[in-house]
Each structure stands twice: as structure tokens, then as C-alpha cells.
Amino acid sequence: MSVLTLGLIFGVVTLLIMFSGISIAFALGIVAIIFMYFFMPASSLDTVAQNVYEEMSSITLMSIPLFILKGAAIGRSRAGKDLYDALHVWMGKVPGGLGVANVFACALFAAMAGSSPATCSAIGSAGIPEMRKRGYSPGFAAGIIAAGGTLGILLPPSITMILYSVASEQSLGRLFLAAIGPGVMLVIFFSMYTIMRFRKEYATAYEAYNLNSAVTSPILDRHTYTMQQKISALPRVLPFLVLLIGVMVALYGGYATPAETAGLGAVFAFVLIALIYGMWRFKDLYPLLDVTIRESAMLMFIIGMSLLFANVMSYLHLSQSAAQAIVDLHTSRWLLLAAILLMVVVLGFFLPPVSIILMTSPIFLPPLRAAGFDLIWFGVVMTIVMETGLIHPPVGLNIFVIKNIAPDITLREIIFGVMPFVAIMIFSVVLLCFFQEISTGLSDWVMGPPLS
């Protein structure tokens, strides 16, 4: 049987099993075992558990449950609401300051928790009702939180970046640093759009009020805060910002490995919630440990099965043949990049970022490396493209998180609310293609140019 025929059968079987409704981890594992049974030596089935264990025994992957534990400690406490309240108070005079405060709160919370759904849930549960109470349209409020939540897979510590580091064999420290510049850029772009959209909604409400003074909107009300109120909002937030800075210093100062940094972050996060919120009893900590075990088990299962799936593809020479076929097209390097990113967008309709990275890396990375692309830079670009998958249908995980915390906002309103942010992300990817230094500049400055 030719490699092309085998590859087509492999692809069709994978799609059929995935669309059957089976969870992604089991679907990938079933496909891998089926093809091991029919096309690989019989002895390979006897070593499935050993192979999966060996693939997952990376010290880098050990940091994932620890980062999840740190995120759970912050996400399941009142830290998200306190962070949001403090930013809201300090940005009161900015046009659309409440919306901008939500964008910044999402960014800072994402940098501490490293999870997009957790960011949406923690900030959105406080931010969406407040924005709607102040007159923001439902779709606008939902779009701000859904888009801000996507920063959880970009800003360090990012689980997606950790997996890309393992799949591409690139420095995790460089990837974390390379994500900061684009992450800040997205925060600025999101904030600029929020201000422009707020002014438009404000002008519409003001015009309606001028035509009929009985038709008023809370968006026309002005809220100011005294310096005393601003200062009093800081004490609960500053310890978590110190935690964020401390983790970064430990990692990039060479004082701890990524796994050790994740452990330190988790321990200090638990200490902070115990001191600040009095969460030290077992009944307080049990939900945090429970969600950590559940999410870690689910994620590690997906990782293990994805790596087994990739190994079967490699053994059958499917990934190598696909990569070689792409190289043999002799197309423009930028056309190659555009085609790969378009495929990532399509996969994002159906799959989470974790599966996309582990399934496609053996196929995409060799041609990109041969075309002369910096794989650190590509990791950041690919992550931003996958961010759009979190907020566009038909899957759009963050869309359903928002729908869960704000059930009275229709899916249509949420989808139309996030579309401008999707356009901003696409524009940011184009900008990164022209100015790669936005991503690589900081990592090269801190860690020196990469070795050739």
C-alpha cells in the first residue's frame, strides 16, 4: 500500500472517530491503536503504556499540573474580582475605562493563571454584569471578556507554549519571552478598539437622549473615584503582582527551572490566598485540588494520546511524507506560511490548541525550518492564530464560557461581539510577519541571539 493511500485512510478514520462524539484523547488513542494493530509489528501493542509514559516523562511537561494548581488557587479565590475592581477604579477617567480595565484585568489574570477559560470565568463573572449595568451593549461586553481571555494561551506561563516547546524542541524560556511583546501589543489593540467602540455607543446614547430626554442610558453617567478609593483598592492586588514578578525573576534570573518555577508559584499562590482571603481549611482547598487533578488528568491524557498518535504517523512515514510533499511544492516561503496558518485556523474550528500543536508539529515544523523561519517566532504566531479558534464558531470554547456565565446574552450577540477582536488578531499576525522583532527582540536581548 502506498504512503498516499495509507495517509488518506488514516485521515478519514481520524475524522470519522473524532466526529463520532468521542472525547479527543480517546479518539486519538483509538486511531493510533487501530493502525498499530494493522500496520505495525504485533509487539508494538504490548508497549503502548511504556511508549506513552516515555513520551510524557519530559521534565518540562511536569510544570503543567503545577501551573494549573497555581491558576486554580488564583482563579477560585476572589483575586480575579479584586484585580478587576482595582483596575476599574484606576481607569475611571479613561473613555471606556471600564472596558479597558477588563482588558487589562484579563491580561494580568492570564499571566498569573495561564488558562483562557479560567480568565474568562474569573474576570467575566464580575466584569460583564458591571459593564452591562453601565450601559455597554451585551455583545460588546461579552466580546471584551472572550477576547481578553484568549491571552491566557499566549502570555506566560502558557500551557500551550509549554507543549509547543516540547513538540518543537525549542527553549521554553525564549518562547515565554517571545510571547510578551505580542501579548502587550494585543492588549493595546484591544484597548484601542474598546475606547473607539465605547465612544460610538456613547454617541448613539447621547443622540437618543437629545432627541428624547426620557430615553437615557447608564453609559452617559460619569463615575469618578477619589485618590483614597484608588489607594485602598491596591493592597489585595499588589501581592499577586509581586508573585507574578517573582516567578518571572526566578525563571529568567536563572534561579529555577520552569518546573521549579511552577512549583514555587503554586506554593506562594496558596500562601497568598491563605493570608489574604483566609482560605487555609481543607474545605476551602479541596475544590482547588479537585479541579487541578481533573484538569491535569484530562490534559495529560490528551498529551499522551496525541504523542502516541504522532508516533504512529512517524512510524508509518505519514508525517515525513507530508512534510516532504510540502517542501517539494517549491512555493514561496510566505505562501507556505499562509497555507499552514490557514490550516491551523480550520483545525481550530474543531480542535483545542493542545491537540493542534501535538498533531501538526511533525508535519509543519520541518518545512518551516527548511524555509528559514524562526520556530520561536512561528510558535508565537501560531498561538495567536489558535487564539482566534477560542472565540470563533463552531467550537469557540470562550464563547461557551461566556454563555455559561451570562446566559441571557444570545450566542448571536456574543459571536458578533467577538468578530472585531478576531480581525484585530489577524491584523496582529500580519504585523508580526513584517516586524518579527516585536516577538524575538526581547528574547534575544535577555538571552542573547539563538545559536545557529
Side-chain angles (χ1 to χ4, degrees):
M1 185 181 297
S2 68
V3 174
L4 176 60
T5 304
L6 184 58
L8 290 174
I9 295 172
F10 191 89
V12 170
V13 172
T14 300
L15 290 175
L16 288 175
I17 293 180
M18 280 191 169
F19 287 135
S20 69
I22 299 175
S23 67
I24 292 172
F26 287 106
L28 295 176
I30 289 171
V31 172
I33 290 173
I34 288 174
F35 279 83
M36 289 173 73
Y37 179 81
F38 286 106
F39 300 101
M40 293 174 63
S43 59
S44 61
L45 288 173
D46 299 331
T47 59
V48 168
Q50 180 182 345
N51 291 338
V52 172
Y53 174 79
E54 289 177 353
E55 292 290 343
M56 294 177 62
S57 61
S58 166
I59 190 68
T60 305
L61 290 179
M62 191 177 73
S63 63
I64 291 178
L66 295 172
F67 278 127
I68 292 175
L69 181 61
K70 172 172 167 266
I74 297 171
R76 297 288 172 136
S77 68
R78 295 194 303 275
K81 185 178 185 305
D82 287 344
L83 178 62
Y84 159 75
D85 289 341
L87 289 168
H88 176 200
V89 169
W90 279 89
M91 294 185 177
K93 291 187 177 181
V94 177
L98 178 58
V100 175
N102 277 279
V103 173
F104 275 79
C106 283
L108 289 173
F109 191 89
M112 288 188 285
S115 167
S116 290
T119 302
C120 279
S121 180
I123 303 301
S125 58
I128 290 179
E130 188 68 20
M131 284 189 283
R132 296 187 66 188
K133 187 172 72 176
R134 299 296 176 86
Y136 286 61
S137 63
F140 182 30
I144 290 173
I145 300 299
T150 64
L151 298 169
I153 68 167
L154 179 63
L155 292 170
S158 162
I159 293 172
T160 301
M161 287 291 184
I162 295 172
L163 295 177
Y164 180 81
S165 170
V166 173
S168 63
E169 299 180 347
Q170 300 295 310
S171 164
L172 180 59
R174 283 189 179 276
L175 280 166
F176 278 178
L177 283 173
I180 293 175
V184 172
M185 179 178 70
L186 282 175
V187 170
I188 293 172
F189 286 166
F190 288 172
S191 300
M192 290 170 60
Y193 169 75
T194 298
I195 293 172
M196 290 188 294
R197 174 70 181 270
F198 172 83
R199 285 176 169 169
K200 181 180 178 181
E201 293 198 352
Y202 183 91
T204 302
Y206 188 73
E207 183 179 348
Y209 176 76
N210 283 338
L211 293 175
N212 183 0
S213 59
V215 180
T216 185
S217 170
I219 202 171
L220 299 176
D221 298 337
R222 291 289 185 177
H223 298 269
T224 57
Y225 299 92
T226 65
M227 183 55 67
Q228 182 179 359
Q229 288 175 307
K230 292 180 179 180
I231 297 298
S232 63
L234 293 178
R236 285 180 179 265
V237 177
L238 287 178
F240 291 98
L241 296 181
V242 172
L243 168 65
L244 173 61
I245 294 170
V247 167
M248 300 299 283
V249 169
L251 179 61
Y252 296 113
Y255 300 108
T257 65
E260 292 168 345
T261 301
L264 286 172
V267 169
F268 285 124
F270 271 82
V271 170
L272 287 177
I273 64 172
L275 294 176
I276 297 174
Y277 302 110
M279 296 179 63
W280 55 270
R281 299 175 183 84
F282 180 74
K283 66 177 183 179
D284 300 321
L285 300 181
Y286 176 78
L288 313 183
L289 300 175
D290 180 62
V291 73
T292 299
I293 292 172
R294 290 177 183 273
E295 290 188 14
S296 298
M298 176 192 68
L299 191 56
M300 297 303 284
F301 211 102
I302 292 175
I303 293 170
M305 293 300 103
S306 296
L307 291 171
L308 183 65
F309 182 86
N311 274 350
V312 172
M313 287 180 64
S314 177
Y315 182 89
L316 299 177
H317 295 282
L318 301 181
S319 54
Q320 298 93 321
S321 298
Q324 188 59 48
I326 295 173
V327 172
D328 290 343
L329 292 175
H330 299 295
T331 185
S332 160
R333 64 197 297 262
W334 294 107
L335 189 59
L336 168 66
L337 177 67
I340 287 175
L341 292 181
L342 180 61
M343 191 174 294
V344 171
V345 170
V346 173
L347 290 173
F349 292 161
F350 313 103
L351 298 174
V354 171
S355 297
I356 293 174
I357 288 175
L358 296 175
M359 290 173 62
T360 63
S361 291
I363 299 173
F364 291 161
L365 296 184
L368 288 168
R369 186 182 287 109
F373 284 107
D374 183 342
L375 294 188
I376 295 289
W377 169 84
F378 174 73
V380 174
V381 170
M382 184 180 182
T383 300
I384 296 175
V385 171
M386 288 189 296
E387 281 185 321
T388 67
L390 292 172
I391 56 174
H392 68 56
V395 177
L397 177 61
N398 285 10
I399 291 176
F400 295 101
V401 173
I402 297 299
K403 182 63 178 173
N404 184 56
I405 62 178
D408 57 323
I409 302 179
T410 66
L411 276 176
R412 183 177 183 276
E413 289 175 316
I414 298 173
I415 290 170
F416 277 97
V418 301
M419 282 300 121
F421 293 98
V422 172
I424 290 172
M425 291 179 187
I426 295 172
F427 172 74
S428 299
V429 169
V430 174
L431 204 60
L432 282 172
C433 290
F434 284 100
F435 304 99
Q436 297 187 18
E437 296 79 9
I438 296 173
S439 174
T440 58
L442 181 60
S443 61
D444 289 349
W445 179 68
V446 173
M447 304 183 71
L451 297 175
S452 301

